[in-house]
Amino acid sequence: MCRQPTISTITIIIITGLIFSLGMAPIPKAYSAERFDVEIAIQSDGSLLVTETVVFRFEGGPFTYVFRDLPDDHTDGITSISASMDGQVLPPGTKAGQVEIVKVKGVSPVKVKWHLQPTLDSTHTFALTYRALGVIRQENEADALYWQALPDDYDYTIGSSTVKVTYPKEATLANAPFVQAGEAQIETDDAQIVFTARDLEKNDPLVIAVRFAPGSLISAPPQWQARQVEQTRLAPIFMVTALALTTLCLAGLFIFLARHQRTTPSAASYSSSKPTSPPNDWPPALAAALTNNASPSWPHALATLFDLARRGIITIEQAAERKWYRSQDFIIQLRAQPADLRPHERGLLELIFGSKAGLRDSVKLSEIARNASARWKTFSDSLKQEIEKANLIDPERLKLKQSFLVIGVIGLVVGIAGFLVCASLIETLGGGSMFMPMGVVVVGLVALGLSAAISRLSEAGELEAARWKGFRAYLQDVTRGREPAMRLDIFEAYLPYAAGYGLTEKWARFFQQQEGVEIPTWFHSLAAAGEDGMAAFVAMAHASDVTA
């Protein structure tokens, strides 16, 4: 059953029993309600004067507090709260013998807590009085009261519950009162209705309903109901407006993109072919970066590393020392620094071997990550500059990409700010207002997606990228065993390119299964003479893939 828009019930929280002496077992405890009564006096303005009386029997203990939540949703507020115990009104406070009332505007529920002296094996009566404003609601053919007399969730039995409703004599019943949830006997008298339920088990519900002739109690709906009606009216307006504005903004984005769209007809034919050798003599890092929208990443650095090793500039050897947290490590040694190195190659040496004192002679593979984060720009910026100097970047496309990026970021920021504003006004505007910032966020996300999809390559760059994508597809097929006429000599020759495409470990593992493949001369394993060092090479390939 859906929760009724009424005030919730008394909930008892039992604090852990005191232990009278060290080692003494806690005293078993339990509690039940001998009766749970509610008196409701309907006022001519649609508010209610409510008195709730609960008689709890405590067995064992001690019990140190009782609390009750008063949800004020579907009301115009709760005022004049007063709590008593055993007929004595308790003063406000948080000490024993006092009552704590926490009421925060806009936050439901209102919390009431009775603080008790440690209580054992006794019976006490707890009473709560308050005024609930704007509870009577307007329906098409009635002024209606719905009231949930018992908690949604309670773990004690109730001997009896009597709910007495009194109403002004000028009000007339529209039909017979009824129980909307649960079971109870109903008696009616002059301007009074009594609901009686007995022997209630844990979580048994009791929701009463009393409907009066329209206009006999209230002439206008309560504020909360009027807001709800207005919110229901506004929801489709917000939704349609948000949908229309979102559609217009998205259409504007795609029209703007279409006006700057560039087609390179021959690129598709290049990318559909799979050349079995590099399309040109470009460095592996530059060739791989082209297929990644000219955005340098760690695989491109790894491609440069293996290319330098193939050219005798560095060597890699398996380290003899092992750590408990790492099965094996590898040492990269700098053997030469030719003067004709490309800028991105010098940047990689700085990234790997750089220190405050200059370039080191060797470094462990496991230590590269520390340098990679601090010195990454020395490699990535130089690689970007080489791509630009080769006229592979289109400045106009780059501006277009950045424009969509700015639009996307602004959309997300404005959308999130809109969510916060609408959340603060949701009581007035309703949940339908959330459609507006949601539309802004959608536009922002689409703009970011378009920014990521827009290539910043020039036409020449697109053509070259298409050629290299075909070669990448060939290398992928090799690792999948789809190239039957396999030449073993390509293992070392194409390793830098495979690394640039993120295939380092797959490349090594595939050739590990082939007979007659020798590890490169620049790699030294700890395997004894005559033994296969490919296992160590595969381990190095795996470690290099996850280094940064």
Side-chain angles (χ1 to χ4, degrees):
M1 186 195 77
C2 296
R3 179 179 175 181
Q4 297 301 314
T6 60
I7 306 301
S8 75
T9 52
I10 296 179
T11 305
I12 300 298
I13 299 295
I14 306 173
I15 302 302
T16 305
L18 299 175
I19 300 177
F20 291 106
S21 61
L22 186 63
M24 181 181 294
I27 302 174
K29 57 184 180 179
Y31 64 100
S32 61
E34 294 183 353
R35 60 187 178 90
F36 195 127
D37 299 336
V38 183
E39 293 186 5
I40 303 169
I42 301 177
Q43 306 300 296
S44 58
D45 62 354
S47 66
L48 308 181
L49 292 180
V50 183
T51 299
E52 298 184 349
T53 304
V54 185
V55 179
F56 278 112
R57 175 171 179 76
F58 301 107
E59 299 178 8
F63 298 84
T64 58
Y65 67 86
V66 169
F67 85 88
R68 180 212 197 293
D69 289 343
L70 295 174
D72 55 2
D73 53 338
H74 297 93
T75 77
D76 289 340
I78 294 176
T79 63
S80 308
I81 302 172
S82 176
S84 66
M85 175 179 172
D86 297 331
Q88 181 179 357
V89 177
L90 302 184
T94 58
K95 297 180 181 179
Q98 298 178 335
V99 63
E100 182 182 1
I101 300 174
V102 180
K103 184 178 181 182
V104 181
K105 184 178 180 181
V107 178
S108 183
V110 178
K111 293 184 175 293
V112 181
K113 180 186 286 187
W114 289 259
H115 292 276
L116 316 176
Q117 297 289 350
T119 301
L120 298 90
D121 296 322
S122 57
T123 300
H124 296 280
T125 300
F126 299 87
L128 186 66
T129 63
Y130 54 91
R131 179 187 288 269
L133 305 177
V135 177
I136 302 300
R137 66 179 65 185
Q138 277 192 342
E139 295 183 345
N140 290 335
E141 299 180 353
D143 296 343
L145 166 68
Y146 299 97
W147 195 265
Q148 182 170 312
L150 299 180
D152 282 326
D153 183 16
Y154 59 96
D155 59 355
Y156 51 87
T157 60
I158 299 174
S160 68
S161 177
T162 300
V163 181
K164 182 186 296 184
V165 180
T166 60
Y167 54 90
K169 292 184 179 297
E170 61 269 18
T172 57
L173 294 176
N175 49 31
F178 59 95
V179 177
Q180 195 170 49
E183 297 181 358
Q185 294 180 345
I186 305 174
E187 297 179 3
T188 60
D189 200 350
D190 186 24
Q192 177 177 286
I193 308 162
V194 178
F195 300 82
T196 304
R198 300 186 184 281
D199 299 325
L200 296 162
E201 297 297 327
K202 300 176 181 179
N203 296 324
D204 280 351
L206 181 57
V207 179
I208 65 169
V210 183
R211 303 174 77 249
F212 300 89
S216 63
L217 276 177
I218 57 176
S219 59
Q223 295 176 19
W224 67 266
Q225 188 179 20
R227 286 196 304 268
Q228 194 174 71
V229 170
E230 181 66 9
Q231 291 169 8
T232 303
R233 185 186 70 84
L234 290 176
I237 297 176
F238 281 126
M239 182 175 65
V240 172
T241 303
L243 182 60
L245 292 177
T246 302
T247 302
L248 286 174
C249 291
L250 292 178
L253 288 179
F254 284 102
I255 290 173
F256 182 66
L257 178 63
R259 289 179 177 177
H260 294 80
Q261 192 66 36
R262 182 188 64 207
T263 57
T264 308
S266 56
S269 61
Y270 281 121
S271 59
S272 62
S273 63
K274 296 180 182 179
T276 58
S277 61
N280 53 45
D281 60 353
W282 281 358
L286 192 150
L290 270 186
T291 63
N292 191 40
N293 208 8
S295 299
S297 61
W298 174 247
H300 307 149
L302 203 56
T304 306
L305 175 71
F306 290 134
D307 187 47
L308 293 178
R310 187 175 57 85
R311 289 153 53 190
I313 297 172
I314 64 173
T315 59
I316 303 176
E317 64 181 42
Q318 188 177 10
E321 179 184 10
R322 297 195 177 191
K323 302 289 186 181
W324 64 269
Y325 53 85
R326 184 187 303 113
S327 61
Q328 52 191 315
D329 204 349
F330 301 88
I331 300 173
I332 305 174
Q333 295 183 332
L334 181 60
R335 296 299 186 186
Q337 297 185 55
D340 60 348
L341 288 178
R342 287 176 171 265
H344 77 276
E345 294 171 340
R346 289 195 298 270
L348 181 74
L349 294 183
E350 178 65 25
L351 184 153
I352 295 177
F353 299 101
S355 68
K356 293 181 179 180
L359 296 183
R360 294 171 289 179
D361 294 331
S362 64
V363 64
K364 291 183 178 179
L365 183 60
S366 59
E367 296 175 353
I368 291 180
R370 277 181 272 175
N371 269 358
S373 57
R375 302 175 185 269
W376 174 249
K377 291 178 68 67
T378 62
F379 171 76
S380 62
D381 287 355
S382 58
L383 184 58
K384 289 179 182 178
Q385 291 170 5
E386 289 186 64
I387 296 174
E388 292 174 1
K389 287 181 179 180
N391 295 321
L392 301 175
I393 299 295
D394 185 341
E396 294 301 320
R397 301 288 292 178
L398 184 58
K399 289 181 181 179
L400 179 64
K401 185 180 184 71
Q402 292 172 341
S403 297
F404 278 98
L405 176 63
V406 171
I407 293 172
V409 171
I410 292 176
L412 289 184
V413 172
V414 173
I416 292 172
F419 273 120
L420 297 177
V421 172
C422 290
S424 66
L425 299 175
I426 196 167
E427 186 175 347
T428 303
L429 299 178
S433 61
M434 291 295 184
F435 285 113
M436 301 298 289
M438 187 182 302
V440 178
V441 169
V442 169
V443 172
L445 291 175
V446 171
L448 290 178
L450 292 175
S451 175
I454 294 172
S455 172
R456 54 185 174 181
L457 298 179
S458 63
E459 292 190 18
E462 291 282 5
L463 290 172
E464 293 299 337
R467 294 188 179 99
W468 283 100
K469 286 178 181 177
F471 183 60
R472 178 181 64 186
Y474 164 73
L475 297 182
Q476 290 172 333
D477 282 350
V478 170
T479 63
R480 296 165 183 165
R482 297 177 181 175
E483 289 291 333
M486 181 55 55
R487 305 189 336 263
L488 298 182
D489 61 318
I490 69 172
F491 169 61
E492 180 181 356
Y494 293 174
L495 174 63
Y497 299 102
Y501 297 130
L503 303 172
T504 309
E505 185 175 358
K506 291 181 179 180
W507 188 260
R509 288 190 181 279
F510 173 79
F511 281 95
Q512 184 184 21
Q513 307 301 320
Q514 312 305 311
E515 294 183 3
V517 178
E518 297 182 358
I519 62 174
T521 57
W522 46 262
F523 179 78
H524 306 287
S525 73
L526 296 178
E531 293 184 3
D532 183 11
M534 276 298 290
F537 191 92
V538 170
M540 182 274 295
H542 171 75
S544 62
D545 262 348
V546 300
T547 292

